[in-house]
PDB file of all heavy atoms in Angstrom:
ATOM      1  N   GLU A   1     -18.882   3.238   1.158  1.00  0.00           N
ATOM      2  CA  GLU A   1     -18.207   2.276   0.285  1.00  0.00           C
ATOM      3  C   GLU A   1     -16.787   2.738  -0.048  1.00  0.00           C
ATOM      4  O   GLU A   1     -15.870   1.918  -0.165  1.00  0.00           O
ATOM      5  CB  GLU A   1     -19.015   2.101  -1.004  1.00  0.00           C
ATOM      6  CG  GLU A   1     -20.314   1.332  -0.819  1.00  0.00           C
ATOM      7  CD  GLU A   1     -21.176   1.318  -2.069  1.00  0.00           C
ATOM      8  OE1 GLU A   1     -21.120   2.305  -2.845  1.00  0.00           O
ATOM      9  OE2 GLU A   1     -21.894   0.338  -2.278  1.00  0.00           O
ATOM     10  N   LEU A   2     -16.609   4.048  -0.189  1.00  0.00           N
ATOM     11  CA  LEU A   2     -15.260   4.576  -0.419  1.00  0.00           C
ATOM     12  C   LEU A   2     -14.358   4.299   0.768  1.00  0.00           C
ATOM     13  O   LEU A   2     -13.176   3.969   0.604  1.00  0.00           O
ATOM     14  CB  LEU A   2     -15.325   6.079  -0.698  1.00  0.00           C
ATOM     15  CG  LEU A   2     -15.834   6.512  -2.077  1.00  0.00           C
ATOM     16  CD1 LEU A   2     -16.023   8.022  -2.129  1.00  0.00           C
ATOM     17  CD2 LEU A   2     -14.873   6.069  -3.181  1.00  0.00           C
ATOM     18  N   ALA A   3     -14.914   4.436   1.976  1.00  0.00           N
ATOM     19  CA  ALA A   3     -14.133   4.172   3.189  1.00  0.00           C
ATOM     20  C   ALA A   3     -13.666   2.721   3.218  1.00  0.00           C
ATOM     21  O   ALA A   3     -12.512   2.430   3.524  1.00  0.00           O
ATOM     22  CB  ALA A   3     -14.970   4.503   4.418  1.00  0.00           C
ATOM     23  N   LYS A   4     -14.566   1.809   2.886  1.00  0.00           N
ATOM     24  CA  LYS A   4     -14.212   0.390   2.874  1.00  0.00           C
ATOM     25  C   LYS A   4     -13.167   0.098   1.801  1.00  0.00           C
ATOM     26  O   LYS A   4     -12.226  -0.677   2.021  1.00  0.00           O
ATOM     27  CB  LYS A   4     -15.458  -0.455   2.638  1.00  0.00           C
ATOM     28  CG  LYS A   4     -16.441  -0.451   3.803  1.00  0.00           C
ATOM     29  CD  LYS A   4     -17.649  -1.321   3.483  1.00  0.00           C
ATOM     30  CE  LYS A   4     -18.632  -1.326   4.660  1.00  0.00           C
ATOM     31  NZ  LYS A   4     -19.839  -2.155   4.354  1.00  0.00           N
ATOM     32  N   ALA A   5     -13.326   0.725   0.638  1.00  0.00           N
ATOM     33  CA  ALA A   5     -12.367   0.510  -0.447  1.00  0.00           C
ATOM     34  C   ALA A   5     -10.978   1.018  -0.062  1.00  0.00           C
ATOM     35  O   ALA A   5      -9.966   0.395  -0.384  1.00  0.00           O
ATOM     36  CB  ALA A   5     -12.852   1.203  -1.720  1.00  0.00           C
ATOM     37  N   LEU A   6     -10.951   2.147   0.639  1.00  0.00           N
ATOM     38  CA  LEU A   6      -9.664   2.696   1.067  1.00  0.00           C
ATOM     39  C   LEU A   6      -9.008   1.793   2.097  1.00  0.00           C
ATOM     40  O   LEU A   6      -7.800   1.532   2.031  1.00  0.00           O
ATOM     41  CB  LEU A   6      -9.861   4.106   1.629  1.00  0.00           C
ATOM     42  CG  LEU A   6      -8.593   4.844   2.076  1.00  0.00           C
ATOM     43  CD1 LEU A   6      -7.587   4.938   0.924  1.00  0.00           C
ATOM     44  CD2 LEU A   6      -8.940   6.237   2.582  1.00  0.00           C
ATOM     45  N   LEU A   7      -9.783   1.295   3.055  1.00  0.00           N
ATOM     46  CA  LEU A   7      -9.245   0.361   4.050  1.00  0.00           C
ATOM     47  C   LEU A   7      -8.686  -0.885   3.377  1.00  0.00           C
ATOM     48  O   LEU A   7      -7.608  -1.379   3.732  1.00  0.00           O
ATOM     49  CB  LEU A   7     -10.338  -0.033   5.046  1.00  0.00           C
ATOM     50  CG  LEU A   7     -10.521   0.881   6.265  1.00  0.00           C
ATOM     51  CD1 LEU A   7     -11.732   0.452   7.070  1.00  0.00           C
ATOM     52  CD2 LEU A   7      -9.275   0.870   7.130  1.00  0.00           C
ATOM     53  N   PHE A   8      -9.409  -1.394   2.406  1.00  0.00           N
ATOM     54  CA  PHE A   8      -8.966  -2.591   1.701  1.00  0.00           C
ATOM     55  C   PHE A   8      -7.652  -2.339   0.968  1.00  0.00           C
ATOM     56  O   PHE A   8      -6.734  -3.160   1.014  1.00  0.00           O
ATOM     57  CB  PHE A   8     -10.037  -3.042   0.702  1.00  0.00           C
ATOM     58  CG  PHE A   8      -9.634  -4.232  -0.106  1.00  0.00           C
ATOM     59  CD1 PHE A   8      -9.657  -5.508   0.440  1.00  0.00           C
ATOM     60  CD2 PHE A   8      -9.217  -4.085  -1.428  1.00  0.00           C
ATOM     61  CE1 PHE A   8      -9.272  -6.610  -0.308  1.00  0.00           C
ATOM     62  CE2 PHE A   8      -8.833  -5.178  -2.179  1.00  0.00           C
ATOM     63  CZ  PHE A   8      -8.860  -6.448  -1.625  1.00  0.00           C
ATOM     64  N   SER A   9      -7.557  -1.179   0.315  1.00  0.00           N
ATOM     65  CA  SER A   9      -6.327  -0.876  -0.424  1.00  0.00           C
ATOM     66  C   SER A   9      -5.140  -0.724   0.514  1.00  0.00           C
ATOM     67  O   SER A   9      -4.030  -1.105   0.177  1.00  0.00           O
ATOM     68  CB  SER A   9      -6.509   0.389  -1.260  1.00  0.00           C
ATOM     69  OG  SER A   9      -6.571   1.537  -0.442  1.00  0.00           O
ATOM     70  N   VAL A  10      -5.389  -0.162   1.698  1.00  0.00           N
ATOM     71  CA  VAL A  10      -4.314  -0.020   2.686  1.00  0.00           C
ATOM     72  C   VAL A  10      -3.858  -1.376   3.187  1.00  0.00           C
ATOM     73  O   VAL A  10      -2.661  -1.636   3.334  1.00  0.00           O
ATOM     74  CB  VAL A  10      -4.779   0.881   3.848  1.00  0.00           C
ATOM     75  CG1 VAL A  10      -3.773   0.839   4.990  1.00  0.00           C
ATOM     76  CG2 VAL A  10      -4.941   2.302   3.365  1.00  0.00           C
ATOM     77  N   LYS A  11      -4.822  -2.265   3.430  1.00  0.00           N
ATOM     78  CA  LYS A  11      -4.463  -3.611   3.864  1.00  0.00           C
ATOM     79  C   LYS A  11      -3.601  -4.300   2.828  1.00  0.00           C
ATOM     80  O   LYS A  11      -2.615  -4.961   3.146  1.00  0.00           O
ATOM     81  CB  LYS A  11      -5.721  -4.440   4.111  1.00  0.00           C
ATOM     82  CG  LYS A  11      -6.474  -4.086   5.378  1.00  0.00           C
ATOM     83  CD  LYS A  11      -7.686  -4.981   5.539  1.00  0.00           C
ATOM     84  CE  LYS A  11      -8.455  -4.633   6.807  1.00  0.00           C
ATOM     85  NZ  LYS A  11      -9.654  -5.505   6.972  1.00  0.00           N
ATOM     86  N   GLN A  12      -3.961  -4.134   1.582  1.00  0.00           N
ATOM     87  CA  GLN A  12      -3.175  -4.716   0.507  1.00  0.00           C
ATOM     88  C   GLN A  12      -1.746  -4.196   0.543  1.00  0.00           C
ATOM     89  O   GLN A  12      -0.791  -4.957   0.410  1.00  0.00           O
ATOM     90  CB  GLN A  12      -3.807  -4.391  -0.848  1.00  0.00           C
ATOM     91  CG  GLN A  12      -5.169  -5.008  -1.084  1.00  0.00           C
ATOM     92  CD  GLN A  12      -5.098  -6.505  -1.260  1.00  0.00           C
ATOM     93  OE1 GLN A  12      -5.271  -7.259  -0.294  1.00  0.00           O
ATOM     94  NE2 GLN A  12      -4.835  -6.950  -2.464  1.00  0.00           N
ATOM     95  N   GLY A  13      -1.604  -2.915   0.742  1.00  0.00           N
ATOM     96  CA  GLY A  13      -0.278  -2.313   0.766  1.00  0.00           C
ATOM     97  C   GLY A  13       0.517  -2.713   1.981  1.00  0.00           C
ATOM     98  O   GLY A  13       1.722  -2.963   1.907  1.00  0.00           O
ATOM     99  N   LEU A  14      -0.162  -2.789   3.170  1.00  0.00           N
ATOM    100  CA  LEU A  14       0.541  -3.074   4.414  1.00  0.00           C
ATOM    101  C   LEU A  14       0.927  -4.534   4.547  1.00  0.00           C
ATOM    102  O   LEU A  14       2.020  -4.857   4.994  1.00  0.00           O
ATOM    103  CB  LEU A  14      -0.333  -2.666   5.605  1.00  0.00           C
ATOM    104  CG  LEU A  14      -0.472  -1.167   5.871  1.00  0.00           C
ATOM    105  CD1 LEU A  14      -1.467  -0.930   6.994  1.00  0.00           C
ATOM    106  CD2 LEU A  14       0.867  -0.548   6.218  1.00  0.00           C
ATOM    107  N   TYR A  15       0.034  -5.421   4.141  1.00  0.00           N
ATOM    108  CA  TYR A  15       0.253  -6.827   4.440  1.00  0.00           C
ATOM    109  C   TYR A  15       0.808  -7.631   3.272  1.00  0.00           C
ATOM    110  O   TYR A  15       1.464  -8.635   3.474  1.00  0.00           O
ATOM    111  CB  TYR A  15      -1.059  -7.472   4.921  1.00  0.00           C
ATOM    112  CG  TYR A  15      -1.613  -6.785   6.142  1.00  0.00           C
ATOM    113  CD1 TYR A  15      -2.964  -6.483   6.245  1.00  0.00           C
ATOM    114  CD2 TYR A  15      -0.772  -6.408   7.182  1.00  0.00           C
ATOM    115  CE1 TYR A  15      -3.481  -5.838   7.355  1.00  0.00           C
ATOM    116  CE2 TYR A  15      -1.277  -5.762   8.294  1.00  0.00           C
ATOM    117  CZ  TYR A  15      -2.624  -5.479   8.385  1.00  0.00           C
ATOM    118  OH  TYR A  15      -3.127  -4.830   9.492  1.00  0.00           O
ATOM    119  N   GLN A  16       0.526  -7.198   2.047  1.00  0.00           N
ATOM    120  CA  GLN A  16       1.030  -7.941   0.902  1.00  0.00           C
ATOM    121  C   GLN A  16       2.245  -7.281   0.263  1.00  0.00           C
ATOM    122  O   GLN A  16       2.840  -7.835  -0.642  1.00  0.00           O
ATOM    123  CB  GLN A  16      -0.075  -8.091  -0.151  1.00  0.00           C
ATOM    124  CG  GLN A  16      -1.269  -8.900   0.355  1.00  0.00           C
ATOM    125  CD  GLN A  16      -2.319  -9.081  -0.715  1.00  0.00           C
ATOM    126  OE1 GLN A  16      -2.064  -8.871  -1.893  1.00  0.00           O
ATOM    127  NE2 GLN A  16      -3.514  -9.468  -0.300  1.00  0.00           N
ATOM    128  N   LYS A  17       2.575  -6.094   0.762  1.00  0.00           N
ATOM    129  CA  LYS A  17       3.722  -5.364   0.219  1.00  0.00           C
ATOM    130  C   LYS A  17       3.619  -5.219  -1.297  1.00  0.00           C
ATOM    131  O   LYS A  17       4.602  -5.328  -2.020  1.00  0.00           O
ATOM    132  CB  LYS A  17       5.037  -6.075   0.567  1.00  0.00           C
ATOM    133  CG  LYS A  17       5.289  -6.149   2.064  1.00  0.00           C
ATOM    134  CD  LYS A  17       5.504  -4.792   2.678  1.00  0.00           C
ATOM    135  CE  LYS A  17       5.804  -4.875   4.160  1.00  0.00           C
ATOM    136  NZ  LYS A  17       5.912  -3.557   4.790  1.00  0.00           N
ATOM    137  N   SER A  18       2.385  -5.033  -1.758  1.00  0.00           N
ATOM    138  CA  SER A  18       2.172  -4.952  -3.206  1.00  0.00           C
ATOM    139  C   SER A  18       2.321  -3.518  -3.678  1.00  0.00           C
ATOM    140  O   SER A  18       1.403  -2.911  -4.199  1.00  0.00           O
ATOM    141  CB  SER A  18       0.784  -5.491  -3.569  1.00  0.00           C
ATOM    142  OG  SER A  18      -0.215  -4.767  -2.887  1.00  0.00           O
ATOM    143  N   TYR A  19       3.497  -2.960  -3.460  1.00  0.00           N
ATOM    144  CA  TYR A  19       3.756  -1.591  -3.906  1.00  0.00           C
ATOM    145  C   TYR A  19       4.093  -1.612  -5.393  1.00  0.00           C
ATOM    146  O   TYR A  19       5.159  -2.038  -5.802  1.00  0.00           O
ATOM    147  CB  TYR A  19       4.917  -0.986  -3.118  1.00  0.00           C
ATOM    148  CG  TYR A  19       4.624  -0.794  -1.658  1.00  0.00           C
ATOM    149  CD1 TYR A  19       5.209  -1.632  -0.712  1.00  0.00           C
ATOM    150  CD2 TYR A  19       3.763   0.195  -1.229  1.00  0.00           C
ATOM    151  CE1 TYR A  19       4.947  -1.460   0.628  1.00  0.00           C
ATOM    152  CE2 TYR A  19       3.491   0.367   0.110  1.00  0.00           C
ATOM    153  CZ  TYR A  19       4.086  -0.462   1.046  1.00  0.00           C
ATOM    154  OH  TYR A  19       3.815  -0.300   2.373  1.00  0.00           O
ATOM    155  N   THR A  20       3.177  -1.175  -6.195  1.00  0.00           N
ATOM    156  CA  THR A  20       3.401  -1.217  -7.636  1.00  0.00           C
ATOM    157  C   THR A  20       4.501  -0.266  -8.072  1.00  0.00           C
ATOM    158  O   THR A  20       5.027  -0.376  -9.160  1.00  0.00           O
ATOM    159  CB  THR A  20       2.107  -0.850  -8.379  1.00  0.00           C
ATOM    160  OG1 THR A  20       1.690   0.451  -7.965  1.00  0.00           O
ATOM    161  CG2 THR A  20       1.015  -1.855  -8.070  1.00  0.00           C
ATOM    162  N   LEU A  21       4.848   0.682  -7.216  1.00  0.00           N
ATOM    163  CA  LEU A  21       5.840   1.669  -7.620  1.00  0.00           C
ATOM    164  C   LEU A  21       7.258   1.278  -7.239  1.00  0.00           C
ATOM    165  O   LEU A  21       8.211   1.842  -7.739  1.00  0.00           O
ATOM    166  CB  LEU A  21       5.508   3.029  -6.990  1.00  0.00           C
ATOM    167  CG  LEU A  21       4.147   3.593  -7.343  1.00  0.00           C
ATOM    168  CD1 LEU A  21       3.930   4.899  -6.606  1.00  0.00           C
ATOM    169  CD2 LEU A  21       4.046   3.818  -8.832  1.00  0.00           C
ATOM    170  N   SER A  22       7.392   0.339  -6.289  1.00  0.00           N
ATOM    171  CA  SER A  22       8.743   0.044  -5.805  1.00  0.00           C
ATOM    172  C   SER A  22       9.499  -0.809  -6.809  1.00  0.00           C
ATOM    173  O   SER A  22      10.396  -0.343  -7.488  1.00  0.00           O
ATOM    174  CB  SER A  22       8.688  -0.645  -4.445  1.00  0.00           C
ATOM    175  OG  SER A  22       7.934  -1.823  -4.508  1.00  0.00           O
ATOM    176  N   GLN A  23       9.123  -2.055  -6.961  1.00  0.00           N
ATOM    177  CA  GLN A  23       9.750  -2.948  -7.929  1.00  0.00           C
ATOM    178  C   GLN A  23      11.275  -2.854  -7.892  1.00  0.00           C
ATOM    179  O   GLN A  23      11.955  -2.881  -8.897  1.00  0.00           O
ATOM    180  CB  GLN A  23       9.244  -2.653  -9.350  1.00  0.00           C
ATOM    181  CG  GLN A  23       7.745  -2.835  -9.492  1.00  0.00           C
ATOM    182  CD  GLN A  23       7.248  -2.508 -10.874  1.00  0.00           C
ATOM    183  OE1 GLN A  23       7.972  -1.928 -11.675  1.00  0.00           O
ATOM    184  NE2 GLN A  23       6.020  -2.847 -11.177  1.00  0.00           N
ATOM    185  N   GLY A  24      11.792  -2.735  -6.681  1.00  0.00           N
ATOM    186  CA  GLY A  24      13.233  -2.715  -6.536  1.00  0.00           C
ATOM    187  C   GLY A  24      13.870  -1.358  -6.725  1.00  0.00           C
ATOM    188  O   GLY A  24      15.074  -1.216  -6.547  1.00  0.00           O
ATOM    189  N   THR A  25      13.098  -0.333  -7.070  1.00  0.00           N
ATOM    190  CA  THR A  25      13.693   0.977  -7.309  1.00  0.00           C
ATOM    191  C   THR A  25      13.375   1.961  -6.183  1.00  0.00           C
ATOM    192  O   THR A  25      14.073   2.935  -6.004  1.00  0.00           O
ATOM    193  CB  THR A  25      13.201   1.582  -8.634  1.00  0.00           C
ATOM    194  OG1 THR A  25      11.800   1.807  -8.547  1.00  0.00           O
ATOM    195  CG2 THR A  25      13.495   0.657  -9.789  1.00  0.00           C
ATOM    196  N   VAL A  26      12.289   1.712  -5.468  1.00  0.00           N
ATOM    197  CA  VAL A  26      11.896   2.614  -4.393  1.00  0.00           C
ATOM    198  C   VAL A  26      11.617   1.783  -3.159  1.00  0.00           C
ATOM    199  O   VAL A  26      10.789   0.877  -3.196  1.00  0.00           O
ATOM    200  CB  VAL A  26      10.611   3.395  -4.767  1.00  0.00           C
ATOM    201  CG1 VAL A  26      10.279   4.408  -3.684  1.00  0.00           C
ATOM    202  CG2 VAL A  26      10.775   4.082  -6.099  1.00  0.00           C
ATOM    203  N   ASP A  27      12.307   2.061  -2.051  1.00  0.00           N
ATOM    204  CA  ASP A  27      12.022   1.270  -0.859  1.00  0.00           C
ATOM    205  C   ASP A  27      10.802   1.821  -0.133  1.00  0.00           C
ATOM    206  O   ASP A  27      10.323   2.914  -0.395  1.00  0.00           O
ATOM    207  CB  ASP A  27      13.241   1.220   0.078  1.00  0.00           C
ATOM    208  CG  ASP A  27      13.641   2.591   0.594  1.00  0.00           C
ATOM    209  OD1 ASP A  27      12.732   3.384   0.911  1.00  0.00           O
ATOM    210  OD2 ASP A  27      14.850   2.858   0.692  1.00  0.00           O
ATOM    211  N   ASP A  28      10.314   1.038   0.844  1.00  0.00           N
ATOM    212  CA  ASP A  28       9.057   1.376   1.511  1.00  0.00           C
ATOM    213  C   ASP A  28       9.118   2.716   2.232  1.00  0.00           C
ATOM    214  O   ASP A  28       8.135   3.445   2.307  1.00  0.00           O
ATOM    215  CB  ASP A  28       8.688   0.283   2.519  1.00  0.00           C
ATOM    216  CG  ASP A  28       8.398  -1.043   1.815  1.00  0.00           C
ATOM    217  OD1 ASP A  28       8.268  -1.015   0.588  1.00  0.00           O
ATOM    218  OD2 ASP A  28       8.320  -2.079   2.496  1.00  0.00           O
ATOM    219  N   LYS A  29      10.274   3.062   2.790  1.00  0.00           N
ATOM    220  CA  LYS A  29      10.384   4.311   3.546  1.00  0.00           C
ATOM    221  C   LYS A  29      10.198   5.531   2.654  1.00  0.00           C
ATOM    222  O   LYS A  29       9.846   6.593   3.133  1.00  0.00           O
ATOM    223  CB  LYS A  29      11.752   4.369   4.230  1.00  0.00           C
ATOM    224  CG  LYS A  29      11.924   3.341   5.340  1.00  0.00           C
ATOM    225  CD  LYS A  29      13.287   3.466   5.996  1.00  0.00           C
ATOM    226  CE  LYS A  29      13.467   2.425   7.090  1.00  0.00           C
ATOM    227  NZ  LYS A  29      14.802   2.526   7.737  1.00  0.00           N
ATOM    228  N   GLN A  30      10.476   5.362   1.368  1.00  0.00           N
ATOM    229  CA  GLN A  30      10.349   6.490   0.456  1.00  0.00           C
ATOM    230  C   GLN A  30       8.906   6.747   0.058  1.00  0.00           C
ATOM    231  O   GLN A  30       8.591   7.786  -0.501  1.00  0.00           O
ATOM    232  CB  GLN A  30      11.169   6.232  -0.821  1.00  0.00           C
ATOM    233  CG  GLN A  30      12.669   6.322  -0.609  1.00  0.00           C
ATOM    234  CD  GLN A  30      13.392   6.008  -1.888  1.00  0.00           C
ATOM    235  OE1 GLN A  30      13.439   4.870  -2.348  1.00  0.00           O
ATOM    236  NE2 GLN A  30      13.961   7.028  -2.504  1.00  0.00           N
ATOM    237  N   GLN A  31       8.026   5.792   0.322  1.00  0.00           N
ATOM    238  CA  GLN A  31       6.656   5.938  -0.131  1.00  0.00           C
ATOM    239  C   GLN A  31       5.823   6.675   0.909  1.00  0.00           C
ATOM    240  O   GLN A  31       5.914   6.430   2.092  1.00  0.00           O
ATOM    241  CB  GLN A  31       6.040   4.563  -0.398  1.00  0.00           C
ATOM    242  CG  GLN A  31       6.853   3.792  -1.427  1.00  0.00           C
ATOM    243  CD  GLN A  31       6.033   2.702  -2.032  1.00  0.00           C
ATOM    244  OE1 GLN A  31       4.890   2.930  -2.368  1.00  0.00           O
ATOM    245  NE2 GLN A  31       6.618   1.536  -2.178  1.00  0.00           N
ATOM    246  N   SER A  32       5.007   7.608   0.425  1.00  0.00           N
ATOM    247  CA  SER A  32       4.130   8.367   1.318  1.00  0.00           C
ATOM    248  C   SER A  32       2.925   7.501   1.640  1.00  0.00           C
ATOM    249  O   SER A  32       1.836   7.698   1.128  1.00  0.00           O
ATOM    250  CB  SER A  32       3.699   9.671   0.639  1.00  0.00           C
ATOM    251  OG  SER A  32       4.812  10.413   0.288  1.00  0.00           O
ATOM    252  N   SER A  33       3.141   6.487   2.473  1.00  0.00           N
ATOM    253  CA  SER A  33       2.075   5.539   2.773  1.00  0.00           C
ATOM    254  C   SER A  33       1.233   6.041   3.929  1.00  0.00           C
ATOM    255  O   SER A  33       1.579   6.985   4.635  1.00  0.00           O
ATOM    256  CB  SER A  33       2.661   4.173   3.099  1.00  0.00           C
ATOM    257  OG  SER A  33       3.530   4.281   4.205  1.00  0.00           O
ATOM    258  N   ILE A  34       0.118   5.365   4.132  1.00  0.00           N
ATOM    259  CA  ILE A  34      -0.808   5.743   5.186  1.00  0.00           C
ATOM    260  C   ILE A  34      -1.085   4.519   6.050  1.00  0.00           C
ATOM    261  O   ILE A  34      -1.210   3.415   5.538  1.00  0.00           O
ATOM    262  CB  ILE A  34      -2.125   6.286   4.584  1.00  0.00           C
ATOM    263  CG1 ILE A  34      -3.022   6.842   5.661  1.00  0.00           C
ATOM    264  CG2 ILE A  34      -2.860   5.253   3.783  1.00  0.00           C
ATOM    265  CD1 ILE A  34      -4.195   7.629   5.109  1.00  0.00           C
TER     266      ILE A  34
END
């Protein structure tokens, strides 16, 4: 279930660009994404 939750969270980040930390102050390249 943790694996599925992690995949889901990654999809959210990759496809919806819902980076809660960026908000115009941090671009995507600065984020240690997976």
